[in-house]
Amino acid sequence: MTQTKQKPRILTGDRPTGPLHLGHYVGTLKNRVKLQHDHDCFFIMADLHTLTTAISKEKTQDLKNKARGLVLDYLSVGIDPNNCVIYQQSKVPQVTYLSAIFSNLITVPRCQRVPTLKDVMHDLGIKQPSLGLLNYPVLQAADILMVKADLVPVGRDQESHVEVTKEIARDFNKLYGDVFPIPNALIGDGGTLVGTDGQAKMSKSIGNCIYLSDDQDTVNKKVRSMYTDPTRLKPTDPGHVEGNPIFIYHDAFNDNLVEVSDLKKRYLLGQVGDVEVKTKLALAINKFLTPIRERRSQFEGKFDIIDGIIEEGSRKASLEAQKTLDEVLSVMGIK
Ligand code: ATP
Ligand code: MG
């Protein structure tokens, strides 16, 4: 039976594949910080999902540290483990049990049609997907349904995975009994942040990122070498503001709206040099990152606290998972 819950429940998270950047902040973290106050939030570090593409011991043995880094990134932006559950997927093994049950409710061609599969195979040059990669959205369905999430904040690229989850939940409920609420994707309105190269979205595998953990000098350097308006050769040439990454970043991170509007006006008229626009942008990003850096410094290197957060969150998630699994096995008549 579906339980009544006071606050809508959320499941979202990240694969621990590296540090988070400004794109993650704009696209999801900012929203998570807000959601944790009026939603029952589960933030998953989906390390089992990284195995679908990171097939080497070099990568798996680094997962523990990557998960710790992720927690540090979460804490730094203001995600508060007192207001949410932060957990590591591999520490909640019930999810793989549920995934095994769910994998019987979906066909191979249906999994092959999930658009992200083609994208990943193309990007990584994979000729034939492993069963694990094909199963990616099924394991994700188990993550979501295990905690009976109502809402799943995802980027538009992951919407197709939530569709798979809905189909599995409906099929299970129809076959065995009404266990799962049908979750909905919550597509963020933060948009996609372009990278410092101005060519593609900010993405750690492209290396066009400003990380939340970058120090002041690194930010200054990255901003100084940012792509701007290629048609503008000297400061007196009228420039383009629309679509120019430097102004996209000013809009996203500079809280001095008067300064931003003045810079845009002068840029369009050819009355300001890139150096001034970039210097002011670096200052604005560093100001934006100041409270993030302060929070990070409180936890940096404190592995006992970080590991404690992961253990406690995983314990809470496990309790939920076990409850759901018991219910599943009971309606199926297995237990
Ligand atoms: P990778 O290069 O390994 O794919 P990434 O830096 O692109 O890593 P992902 O792990 O693919 O990051 O991103 C997870 C989620 O974070 C996305 O589904 C999206 O919601 C959000 N996100 C990532 N990059 C951006 C971006 N540049 N702008 C807005 N949101 C982003
Ligand atoms: Mg990506």
Side-chain angles (χ1 to χ4, degrees):
M1 238 192 311
T2 310
Q3 285 168 277
T4 38
K5 291 177 244 113
Q6 287 180 325
K7 294 181 194 170
R9 185 164 281 185
I10 297 258
L11 185 285
T12 189
D14 305 275
R15 290 175 311 135
T17 52
L20 300 182
H21 48 65
L22 292 179
H24 291 117
Y25 185 84
V26 169
T28 89
L29 296 173
K30 188 178 176 188
N31 197 29
R32 283 187 217 174
V33 174
K34 262 195 277 163
L35 288 168
Q36 67 179 343
H37 297 295
D38 45 11
H39 290 74
D40 187 13
C41 289
F42 282 74
F43 297 132
I44 179 176
M45 299 190 285
D47 52 351
L48 295 176
H49 272 113
T50 66
L51 303 182
T52 59
T53 50
I55 307 162
S56 74
K57 182 156 176 196
E58 198 193 329
K59 292 203 171 135
T60 50
Q61 70 188 0
D62 201 29
L63 280 174
K64 187 172 170 179
N65 272 329
K66 290 260 167 62
R68 285 171 163 171
L70 206 49
V71 172
L72 206 47
D73 277 333
Y74 290 166
L75 296 171
S76 77
V77 294
I79 289 177
D80 178 354
N82 295 311
N83 285 330
C84 64
V85 174
I86 298 171
Y87 75 99
Q88 193 169 343
Q89 189 182 31
S90 59
K91 293 188 186 294
V92 184
Q94 292 92 336
V95 75
T96 59
Y97 195 155
L98 211 52
S99 171
I101 293 173
F102 289 167
S103 63
N104 302 292
L105 302 177
I106 187 162
T107 64
V108 170
R110 174 67 183 94
C111 288
Q112 285 168 328
R113 278 202 306 276
V114 172
T116 48
L117 176 68
K118 266 187 233 102
D119 295 343
V120 169
M121 287 174 62
H122 175 266
D123 291 350
L124 302 179
I126 298 171
K127 295 220 160 43
Q128 290 296 336
S130 67
L131 269 182
L133 184 57
L134 208 55
N135 196 56
Y136 191 109
V138 181
L139 182 57
Q140 193 171 351
D143 295 326
I144 296 167
L145 297 176
M146 178 192 93
V147 297
K148 299 192 177 179
D150 303 294
L151 294 168
V152 189
V154 282
R156 202 160 279 290
D157 53 330
Q158 292 256 321
E159 209 177 355
S160 59
H161 292 189
V162 182
E163 277 312 307
V164 169
T165 301
K166 287 179 171 185
E167 288 168 25
I168 289 176
R170 283 199 195 98
D171 285 351
F172 184 94
N173 288 350
K174 206 160 99 196
L175 269 171
Y176 298 112
D178 196 15
V179 170
F180 297 113
I182 309 301
N184 282 307
L186 189 67
I187 307 294
D189 54 9
T192 302
L193 189 71
V194 69
T196 50
D197 59 356
Q199 307 301 309
K201 74 164 198 140
M202 189 177 279
S203 182
K204 60 184 165 304
S205 47
I206 302 179
N208 57 1
C209 304
I210 295 177
Y211 292 104
L212 297 170
S213 45
D214 279 346
D215 62 21
Q216 197 169 321
D217 283 349
T218 309
V219 168
N220 292 342
K221 267 193 218 115
K222 286 183 177 175
V223 170
R224 240 185 327 222
S225 57
M226 259 182 83
Y227 178 92
T228 54
D229 179 352
T231 65
R232 191 167 181 261
L233 303 176
K234 29 185 213 310
T236 47
D237 292 342
H240 296 88
V241 163
E242 191 80 19
N244 185 335
I246 216 144
F247 285 103
I248 293 174
Y249 286 19
H250 264 297
D251 282 333
F253 303 107
N254 191 342
D255 59 6
N256 185 343
L257 302 184
V258 176
E259 178 175 280
V260 175
S261 123
D262 167 64
L263 287 173
K264 282 183 182 172
K265 209 164 34 188
R266 289 196 284 133
Y267 200 84
L268 286 167
L269 294 169
Q271 293 174 355
V272 63
D274 274 358
V275 173
E276 183 181 342
V277 183
K278 286 181 169 179
T279 305
K280 288 189 165 143
L281 177 61
L283 278 170
I285 293 177
N286 278 318
K287 183 176 172 209
F288 165 80
L289 287 174
T290 298
I292 293 178
R293 289 178 184 140
E294 277 167 9
R295 276 188 295 263
R296 175 183 299 277
S297 70
Q298 291 170 31
F299 298 101
E300 205 143 36
K302 299 195 174 146
F303 296 120
D304 49 340
I305 298 180
I306 293 170
D307 291 348
I309 291 169
I310 299 175
E311 288 308 321
E312 177 58 10
S314 302
R315 192 188 61 78
K316 288 182 185 158
S318 261
L319 287 175
E320 292 297 311
Q322 193 57 49
K323 254 196 317 194
T324 305
L325 188 57
D326 287 343
E327 214 181 322
V328 161
L329 296 175
S330 160
V331 294
M332 293 175 83
I334 294 180
K335 196 159 141 187

